[in-house]
Amino acid sequence: MATDFSDAEQPGTQRPGGRTERTRLAVLHATLALLAEHGYGELTVDAVAERSGVHRTTVYRRWKSAEGLVAAAFHLGTEDDWTAPDTGSLAGDLYEMLAELVGYFTTPGMRELPTASILAAFQSELAAEALHSFYVDRHARCAVLTTRAIARGEAPAGTSPDEVIRAASGPIFYRLFISRESLGLADARLAARATAAAAAAGVFVPA
Amino acid sequence: MATDFSDAEQPGTQRPGGRTERTRLAVLHATLALLAEHGYGELTVDAVAERSGVHRTTVYRRWKSAEGLVAAAFHLGTEDDWTAPDTGSLAGDLYEMLAELVGYFTTPGMRELPTASILAAFQSELAAEALHSFYVDRHARCAVLTTRAIARGEAPAGTSPDEVIRAASGPIFYRLFISRESLGLADARLAARATAAAAAAGVFVPA
C-alpha cells in the first residue's frame, strides 16, 4: 500500500492528492453512496464503476468484488480525524459520544449509510471483518475517555477502556436494531450515566 | 384470533390441538426453519407451503406474504413458557439471563434462527414490528428481576425494569452485531455486574 509508482494509473498505489488517490476516493465514496441507497444485496462492481466514472477494469483489478469494495470503503472510516469529546467528566464525555451516535443513526439522510453498514456485515464475511476493524479503531480513539477518568479519580486504575465503550454504546444499538424501539438523547444520557456509575464501582477492572 | 369455528379448515381460527392449530404450527415452524436456513431474502410463501405440506392456497389466504409469515412466526416466541431466572440476586439473575442469550446466539444449530430474525428486521417493516413485539414481551417477563431486586434493597424504588434489561443485553448484542467481536460467558458476567452496579447507584430511576 505504501509503494509509489510513477504511473498513477497503476492500481494499488496511493499518492495523496494524486490521480490514483482521487480514483480511490471516487470509487470508495461511490461504493458508500450505493450501499446507503440500495444496500449490500444490490451492490455490484459495475454499478460502482458507473457511479464513480472510473473504468470498470480498474475497479475490478484493484477491488475484485462488491465485498472487496465494501471492505475498503469501511476502512475509509478509520481515515477521518474524529477525536473523542473532552467535557471534564466521564459521564459528560460518554454523553457527547452517544449523542453524536444517536444523531448519526436517527437522522434521515445520515442514518442510511451506517445502517446499511451494520446490515452488510450480516451478508458478507469481509464486510463483517471490516466493520470489526472500524470499531477496533473507534475503541482505540475512545480509550482516552477512560484514561482521563482514571486520572480524575472517577474510575479505578485498570478500568478497561473497551468495556466502558461497549457498556455505553450497547443499549443505544440494542434499541436501534434488536428491540427496535424509539431512540433519543435521553437514552444517550441514561447510558452515559449508567456506564459512569458502573465504572466508578470498579466493575470494568478485569478480574 | 379467539374466534372458534367448527370448520377446522377455516383459516384464521385456532382450536388448541385441532387441525387448524396443527396447520398454523406446521406453517410457522416451516417459516422459521426456512428463515434460519436461507434468510428472509429467500423466503417465499410457496417454499413455506412446500416445506410445511400445507396447501399454498391456505397459506396465501391466511398469511398473505412472506412478511406476514415472518411476523406471525416471530409471534410464536411470545407463546412459550419462558420465565426469568431467580437466583437470589440481581447480578445473578442477569447473569443467568445473559448466559442463556450468549448460548442461544453463539451455538451452531441454534444461533441461525435468532440471527436471521435480527437480520429480517432490517429487510421488512413487518418483521421489525414483530421483533419489537417479541422484545416487549421479553421485557415484561423480565420485569420481575427488577421488582425482586427492589424488594431485596439492591436497587431503589422506581428503578425501570426495561432500562435494566436494555443495559444488560446491550453489550452482548453490541459484540455480536456491531463491533463483531468474540462473545462468551465472561461477557455475560461483566454486563450483569455492570448493570447491577448501575442499578444500585439509582441510575435507572427515571428523572
Side-chain angles (χ1 to χ4, degrees):
Chain A
M1 294 280 279
T3 316
D4 195 5
F5 295 95
S6 52
D7 176 5
E9 293 285 31
Q10 181 77 26
T13 67
Q14 291 178 32
R15 201 166 52 187
R19 199 202 290 183
T20 301
E21 174 64 1
R22 287 198 307 275
T23 296
R24 182 180 80 100
L25 292 177
V27 167
L28 299 186
H29 285 136
T31 301
L32 295 175
L34 289 169
L35 187 67
E37 288 166 26
H38 307 295
Y40 177 74
E42 305 284 312
L43 194 74
T44 64
V45 173
D46 284 353
V48 170
E50 189 181 332
R51 177 72 162 249
S52 65
V54 173
H55 199 282
R56 59 193 292 280
T57 311
T58 304
V59 181
Y60 272 109
R61 203 188 305 150
R62 177 152 182 191
W63 289 280
K64 309 283 190 295
S65 63
E67 266 199 313
L69 283 163
V70 164
F74 284 6
H75 190 72
L76 273 188
T78 67
E79 296 174 21
D80 69 7
D81 56 0
W82 187 87
T83 55
D86 188 4
T87 66
S89 75
L90 179 58
D93 288 354
L94 291 173
Y95 172 72
E96 290 294 325
M97 183 193 81
L98 296 178
E100 186 182 335
L101 188 67
V102 167
Y104 191 43
F105 272 93
T106 58
T107 307
M110 290 184 75
R111 69 185 176 199
E112 289 78 10
L113 177 58
T115 303
S117 303
I118 304 290
L119 171 55
F122 282 82
Q123 300 166 313
S124 152
E125 194 56 49
L126 272 185
E129 287 168 19
L131 191 69
H132 171 69
S133 297
F134 172 80
Y135 280 98
V136 168
D137 175 71
R138 285 292 147 139
H139 284 200
R141 296 202 212 185
C142 289
V144 65
L145 299 193
T146 296
T147 52
R148 286 196 304 242
I150 293 169
R152 284 189 299 255
E154 295 178 291
T159 295
S160 162
D162 285 346
E163 295 298 357
V164 167
I165 300 307
R166 291 182 192 112
S169 311
I172 304 298
F173 286 106
Y174 179 79
R175 281 179 166 273
L176 279 167
F177 300 123
I178 309 301
S179 61
R180 296 265 167 188
E181 298 174 271
S182 66
L183 179 66
L185 292 178
D187 304 308
R189 197 170 301 278
L190 183 69
R193 288 183 60 212
T195 304
V203 168
F204 300 123
V205 179
Chain B
M1 292 284 278
T3 316
D4 195 4
F5 295 94
S6 54
D7 176 6
E9 292 284 33
Q10 182 79 23
T13 66
Q14 292 178 33
R15 200 167 53 185
R19 200 204 291 185
T20 302
E21 175 64 1
R22 287 199 306 275
T23 297
R24 182 181 81 101
L25 292 177
V27 167
L28 298 185
H29 285 137
T31 300
L32 294 175
L34 289 169
L35 187 68
E37 288 167 24
H38 306 296
Y40 177 73
E42 305 284 312
L43 193 74
T44 63
V45 173
D46 284 354
V48 170
E50 188 180 333
R51 177 72 161 251
S52 64
V54 172
H55 200 281
R56 59 194 292 279
T57 311
T58 305
V59 181
Y60 272 108
R61 204 189 304 150
R62 175 150 182 194
W63 289 281
K64 309 282 190 296
S65 64
E67 267 200 313
L69 283 163
V70 164
F74 284 6
H75 190 73
L76 273 188
T78 67
E79 296 173 22
D80 69 8
D81 56 0
W82 187 87
T83 55
D86 187 4
T87 66
S89 75
L90 180 58
D93 288 354
L94 291 173
Y95 171 72
E96 290 295 324
M97 182 192 82
L98 296 178
E100 186 182 337
L101 189 66
V102 166
Y104 191 44
F105 273 93
T106 59
T107 307
M110 291 184 76
R111 68 185 177 200
E112 290 76 11
L113 176 59
T115 303
S117 303
I118 304 290
L119 171 55
F122 282 82
Q123 300 166 312
S124 151
E125 193 58 47
L126 273 185
E129 287 168 21
L131 192 68
H132 170 71
S133 296
F134 172 79
Y135 279 99
V136 167
D137 175 73
R138 285 291 146 140
H139 284 200
R141 296 201 211 186
C142 289
V144 65
L145 300 193
T146 296
T147 53
R148 286 195 303 241
I150 293 170
R152 284 189 298 255
E154 294 179 294
T159 295
S160 161
D162 285 346
E163 295 299 357
V164 167
I165 300 307
R166 290 182 192 113
S169 310
I172 303 300
F173 286 107
Y174 179 80
R175 281 179 166 274
L176 280 168
F177 300 123
I178 309 300
S179 61
R180 296 264 166 189
E181 297 174 271
S182 66
L183 180 66
L185 292 178
D187 304 307
R189 196 170 301 278
L190 183 69
R193 287 184 60 214
T195 304
V203 167
F204 299 123
V205 179

